[in-house]
Amino acid sequence: MKVGGQHYHTIWLNEDGRSVDIIDQRWLPHEFRVVTLKTVDDFARAIREMWVRGAPLIGVTAAYGVAIAMTEDPSDAGLDQTWDVLHETRPTAINLRWALDDMRTLLRSMPEAQRAEAAYKRAAAIAEEDVELNRSIGRNGLEIIREIAKRKKPGERVNILTHCNAGWLATVDYGTATAPIYLATEEGIPIHVYVDETRPRNQGAQLTAWELDGHGVPHTLIVDNAGGHLMQHGDVDMVIVGTDRTTANGDVCNKIGTYLKALAAKDNNVPFYVALPSPTIDWTVKDGVKEIPIEERSGDEVTFVQGRGMDGAIMTVRLSPEGSPAANPAFDVTPARLITGLITERGVSEATPEALRTMFPERALP
Ligand code: MRU
């Protein structure tokens, strides 16, 4: 998508054919910074400390991390070690394991001398595939938005609520939850997005709002607790969120707070959609609440908040008493029964094991 008139992906290979540049998302919306990753440790740090984040982008970053490792040690032992180092960075987003497994399976099947070149090619292909997956998700989600728009009076806007950032910053380009929004806006459907701020790291306030602002999509930032109230008053036509891991049964793990939005949506008959590429489906897991590991991040993310001061400097300030400990589970699971549909690259699936198996017969486990 565009930043200052220039087209950007969130990650790209440099001209040296080895190092990789990323948008360092920790500084948005205040500063647009690009950093270069040169070693496996750089890649691991960028994922762990959320310089890059969002399930699809974490996967692509890990794939390039494997590629750089192959330039140093293309042995099986080197490959396994890199898999371990990158895999332990963030436990919830399944795209990480999907990309690492994909790379390892491919590379193991070839001589060591060919691995580095093949790894860069495959990482680039995974990145390109992500862009295509998101375009398809966009087209499939657009059809839902069109149907809602048809029921509106002329000129009346379609109000969409989203949580966290499942936008282009969370992917290589376009985003999952935002792809249908961008396409609908291009088509001239009057869209308005309610953006949950998404405490504690504020991906909604800092990233989604920045994206929508940059692309001229009308939006309003709300605190995380406002969604239920807006739904009760008929101000939300649909919810679209992303996901870090969706189970074979259709349970959706996503940013903490998603579950509460789904409960409020159910109570108010507001359709609740989840946009996802198929690498986000974990076919080995059925019960999301019991089986998905939920990342527990530092309590400092709750007790401190980052922003830009009146003097223009980016600063971190304490919110709560020094003696108050904080818990910080980063994700929750929305049970399939609360979900209206899963917007995938192949179409919109019901959140049931049968529907998912029918849509992806070659991926589903017996
Ligand atoms: O902790 P984050 O910022 O990586 O969490 C991101 C989300 O929860 C997104 O909704 C999810 O990864 C889907 S991104 C297309």
Side-chain angles (χ1 to χ4, degrees):
M1 300 290 282
K2 290 214 165 130
V3 182
Q6 198 179 325
H7 188 250
Y8 277 92
H9 280 177
T10 51
I11 185 165
W12 61 94
L13 184 64
N14 281 316
E15 277 172 13
D16 62 11
R18 189 177 180 284
S19 65
V20 166
D21 276 3
I22 55 156
I23 300 170
D24 184 345
Q25 302 186 20
R26 291 172 301 165
W27 309 105
L28 290 170
H30 314 295
E31 286 175 18
F32 183 79
R33 293 193 198 173
V34 170
V35 296
T36 303
L37 308 179
K38 295 180 180 157
T39 65
V40 178
D41 283 348
D42 289 347
F43 280 83
R45 191 160 172 224
I47 298 172
R48 186 183 307 107
E49 296 179 9
M50 296 176 67
W51 307 5
V52 289
R53 24 69 51 206
L57 181 57
I58 290 171
V60 173
T61 308
Y64 273 117
V66 171
I68 220 148
M70 292 299 95
T71 64
E72 283 162 14
D73 177 5
S75 67
D76 283 359
L79 187 54
D80 288 346
Q81 202 203 343
T82 303
W83 194 101
D84 289 343
V85 166
L86 292 169
H87 185 249
E88 61 90 40
T89 52
R90 294 198 71 190
T92 303
I94 195 63
N95 307 57
L96 175 62
R97 194 181 78 202
W98 175 86
L100 289 171
D101 283 346
D102 182 286
M103 296 292 286
R104 181 157 68 178
T105 306
L106 170 80
L107 298 173
R108 267 195 187 282
S109 70
M110 57 181 53
E112 287 182 13
Q114 292 171 16
R115 287 183 180 177
E117 194 185 333
Y120 276 104
K121 254 197 198 148
R122 182 62 192 139
I126 291 175
E128 278 314 308
E129 280 164 21
D130 181 66
V131 177
E132 285 313 311
L133 292 174
N134 296 332
R135 276 188 212 269
S136 303
I137 288 168
R139 284 191 288 271
N140 295 329
L142 173 61
E143 287 182 25
I144 301 168
I145 297 177
R146 277 189 190 135
E147 286 307 310
I148 293 174
K150 271 190 210 159
R151 299 198 292 269
K152 294 267 173 190
K153 295 192 192 106
E156 216 178 33
R157 62 192 194 176
V158 175
N159 286 300
I160 300 175
L161 183 141
T162 193
H163 190 69
C164 194
N165 173 262
W168 74 271
L169 290 167
T171 63
V172 177
D173 207 351
Y174 299 113
T176 57
T178 52
I181 292 171
Y182 289 129
L183 285 184
T185 305
E186 274 170 29
E187 198 171 276
I189 298 174
I191 297 283
H192 169 262
V193 184
Y194 282 112
V195 180
D196 281 352
E197 64 176 347
T198 319
R199 282 280 291 145
R201 288 189 65 110
N202 295 310
Q203 288 95 329
Q206 299 188 325
L207 305 177
T208 306
W210 180 78
E211 279 193 19
L212 297 175
D213 185 44
H215 293 87
V217 181
H219 62 282
T220 305
L221 184 61
I222 53 174
V223 296
D224 291 326
N225 295 326
H229 165 77
L230 293 171
M231 290 183 209
Q232 280 177 327
H233 290 269
D235 290 335
V236 179
D237 295 302
M238 71 187 295
V239 178
I240 316 182
V241 296
T243 165
D244 291 82
R245 193 185 298 216
T246 288
T247 71
N249 281 11
D251 292 343
V252 164
C253 182
N254 191 47
K255 182 53 57 193
I256 192 80
T258 303
Y259 172 46
L260 291 178
K261 291 298 133 66
L263 284 172
K266 187 76 169 178
D267 195 44
N268 292 284
N269 292 319
V270 172
F272 187 94
Y273 286 95
V274 180
L276 70 152
S278 52
T280 308
I281 303 172
D282 185 345
W283 297 99
T284 68
V285 166
K286 288 191 175 148
D287 185 328
V289 175
K290 289 198 185 127
E291 296 175 69
I292 296 178
I294 299 295
E295 179 176 9
E296 186 69 39
R297 294 188 65 86
S298 165
D300 287 353
E301 293 182 353
V302 179
T303 54
F304 290 88
V305 67
Q306 177 182 285
R308 167 161 264 172
M310 303 285 263
D311 61 355
I314 295 176
M315 59 176 72
T316 301
V317 293
R318 175 175 272 286
L319 276 179
S320 50
E322 285 192 24
S324 300
N328 187 11
F331 300 95
D332 61 24
V333 174
T334 299
R337 65 188 149 77
L338 299 177
I339 294 162
T340 310
L342 301 169
I343 308 171
T344 77
E345 70 268 22
R346 292 205 184 151
V348 182
S349 169
E350 278 176 24
T352 64
E354 299 77 25
L356 274 171
R357 262 204 305 271
T358 306
M359 193 154 279
F360 298 99
E362 78 290 7
R363 301 244 173 111
L365 297 176

